[in-house]
Amino acid sequence: MKLLEDYSLKKHNSFGLDAKAQALVMFDSIEELAQRCTTIKKSLLLGGGSNILILNDLDYEVWTYNVKGRSLLSEEEEYVLVEIQSGENWHETVLWAIEQGYGGIENLALIPGNCGAAPIQNIGAYGVEIKDVLHCVYGIQRDSGLPMSFYKAECNFGYRDSIFKKELKGKFIITSIVLKLTKPGYHRLNTSYGAISSTLEQRGITDPNCRDVAQAVIDIRKSKLPDTKVIGNAGSFFKNPVIPIDQFNEVKSNHPDIVSYPVDDASIKLPAAWLIDRAGWKGKTVGGAQCYEKQALVLINKGNATGRDIFTLSQNIIDDVKTKYGITLDREVNLIS
Ligand code: EPU
């Protein structure tokens, strides 16, 4: 364990905000983490820091759990179960899986953050969510440090949602995840979403493998989303709102060209990017914060933004979309104060 007092979190949040923590504590073992759980009452466990907005300096400890490792737990004819420690980077794990010949997470390439954080908001992209391949998670209870595990069905997964964001918020720390991945010959590639199939077609690939799909996703994401190493951001800042059909019909009568995705018989998902874009927010700034020119769903730090700048911009967008469309946008990014 390493403890650094009065520590700037600039390198630990993908917005690149220069907020301080009372201390940064880095854990290299589950025992050290469990021990500190029983003695320190308030803390924030950070994964990759890619889905948070820090609003001010934090007068409590920020923790990172850096244990790495991937191991094969069991192997069947069609699939394997692999355990991945929380400190592993997600994208590197996707590349590792492809290297091993394992399928199921290729559509989730280039999503930032660590593996331990991935189930919390049920990361998803291009028609796949981690819930589709997750078998179970292992971890410890925040206050007692005692071990606990959850099977997929117990995680209450929804769109960018899980039990870890709701009932168990701040109460459970994920230390490893177990994924059920397919073996060669049993992969079920999902190329139907967004620009994947057209990208493969352009490349003359008619019989794609996991690597081809991952590469297409990587290239599509790179063309739309800013690289956090160059421009501070947290990917999609807002969730895509899911609204009742009646409300959708009303919005559609005023805005016939609105884009929408069916969810079930009673509700429809709308792209927040479309709403924000049509409301005229692309390129608009508050202090050092800006609504990204190439993708309205992303808010960026132009270099000298404060957490408050980004928050104010997001609130102005939420208020304006509510006024113009009657729809309330929710932040996907977690506010930290
Ligand atoms: N659009 C605009 N203006 C824009 C951008 C997009 O009008 O500036 C319209 C497009 O016409 C498109 C629609 O909005 O029809 C949706 O845009 P896009 O496909 O770019 O984004 P999305 O599908 O809403 C979601 C996830 C992304 C994920 C992609 C691919 C959310 C909140 N976002 O975006 O996730 O990569 O699908 O599956 O669900 C993330 O969570 O950080 C993230 C990047």
Side-chain angles (χ1 to χ4, degrees):
M1 187 185 97
K2 198 169 163 191
L3 188 150
L4 303 167
E5 276 178 17
D6 197 27
Y7 191 84
S8 167
L9 297 169
K10 198 171 164 68
K11 292 207 176 84
H12 291 266
N13 71 104
S14 62
F15 269 119
L17 297 169
D18 195 8
K20 278 185 179 171
Q22 183 203 72
L24 179 73
V25 187
M26 292 169 276
F27 297 96
D28 298 310
S29 77
I30 196 165
E31 292 78 18
E32 294 168 341
L33 176 68
Q35 164 66 28
R36 205 158 182 90
C37 279
T38 61
T39 53
I40 300 290
K41 284 296 145 228
K42 188 168 183 195
S43 64
L44 168 74
L45 189 102
L46 265 195
S50 54
N51 202 42
I52 55 164
L53 175 61
I54 308 174
L55 296 174
N56 43 250
D57 289 343
L58 307 177
D59 60 359
Y60 49 88
E61 291 184 358
V62 168
W63 296 354
T64 60
Y65 183 69
N66 301 320
V67 175
K68 291 189 175 20
R70 305 181 186 105
S71 55
L72 182 65
L73 295 186
S74 66
E75 184 160 3
E76 304 283 334
E77 167 68 19
E78 296 180 23
Y79 62 84
V80 289
L81 287 181
V82 288
E83 180 175 10
I84 302 150
Q85 301 299 317
S86 285
E88 289 285 356
N89 174 273
W90 174 261
H91 176 62
E92 283 170 20
T93 300
V94 172
L95 299 181
W96 169 84
I98 291 167
E99 212 51 56
Q100 306 298 311
Y102 303 150
I105 50 177
E106 52 284 347
N107 293 42
L108 304 179
L110 219 60
I111 293 185
N114 290 354
C115 290
I120 295 177
Q121 64 149 341
N122 183 21
I123 59 167
Y126 301 99
V128 175
E129 294 177 322
I130 193 173
K131 78 163 171 48
D132 302 330
V133 293
L134 191 92
H135 180 67
C136 67
V137 307
Y138 290 110
I140 57 175
Q141 298 171 45
R142 169 60 185 85
D143 292 341
S144 64
L146 293 172
M148 202 172 176
S149 59
F150 292 84
Y151 280 110
K152 186 221 297 259
E154 299 170 309
C155 299
N156 295 351
F157 285 124
Y159 165 60
R160 296 294 192 276
D161 202 18
S162 75
I163 194 169
F164 312 113
K165 265 179 96 166
K166 293 223 167 102
E167 295 90 329
L168 292 182
K169 189 170 179 181
K171 295 189 177 146
F172 179 67
I173 295 173
I174 296 175
T175 52
S176 71
I177 62 177
V178 176
L179 303 181
K180 183 175 175 175
L181 302 175
T182 49
K183 283 170 54 181
Y186 297 97
H187 298 323
R188 286 184 287 270
L189 297 184
N190 183 340
T191 58
S192 58
Y193 193 97
I196 297 185
S197 51
S198 57
T199 304
L200 292 169
E201 242 167 69
Q202 276 164 23
R203 293 174 184 181
I205 300 171
T206 49
D207 184 19
N209 56 30
C210 296
R211 191 183 300 274
D212 297 327
V213 174
Q215 193 56 52
V217 169
I218 289 170
D219 295 342
I220 298 165
R221 286 185 75 98
K222 277 190 176 159
S223 71
K224 285 203 206 181
L225 299 170
D227 180 353
T228 49
K229 290 193 198 90
V230 185
I231 301 174
N233 77 94
S236 298
F237 192 93
F238 302 97
K239 290 203 243 182
N240 286 333
V242 176
I243 62 170
I245 299 262
D246 292 349
Q247 189 185 3
F248 171 70
N249 289 336
E250 209 177 301
V251 178
K252 180 132 177 120
S253 64
N254 296 324
H255 309 276
D257 55 338
I258 193 161
V259 185
S260 63
Y261 315 108
V263 174
D264 52 40
D265 289 348
S267 40
I268 290 227
K269 195 195 270 183
L270 300 181
W274 190 95
L275 298 166
I276 298 166
D277 189 349
R278 294 304 163 98
W281 282 94
K282 259 188 184 171
K284 292 258 173 75
T285 59
V286 168
Q290 186 176 39
C291 179
Y292 192 49
E293 299 266 10
K294 288 197 220 165
Q295 166 58 283
L297 200 48
V298 177
L299 303 187
I300 63 167
N301 174 2
K302 292 212 301 163
N304 58 349
T306 62
R308 285 282 156 195
D309 290 342
I310 297 168
F311 178 82
T312 304
L313 175 60
S314 70
Q315 193 58 50
N316 293 350
I317 291 173
I318 290 171
D319 294 345
D320 191 43
V321 167
K322 177 81 183 162
T323 307
K324 290 186 172 137
Y325 301 98
I327 293 168
T328 308
L329 293 182
D330 277 339
R331 294 179 183 87
E332 181 187 305
V333 166
N334 296 306
L335 303 179
I336 307 292
S337 61

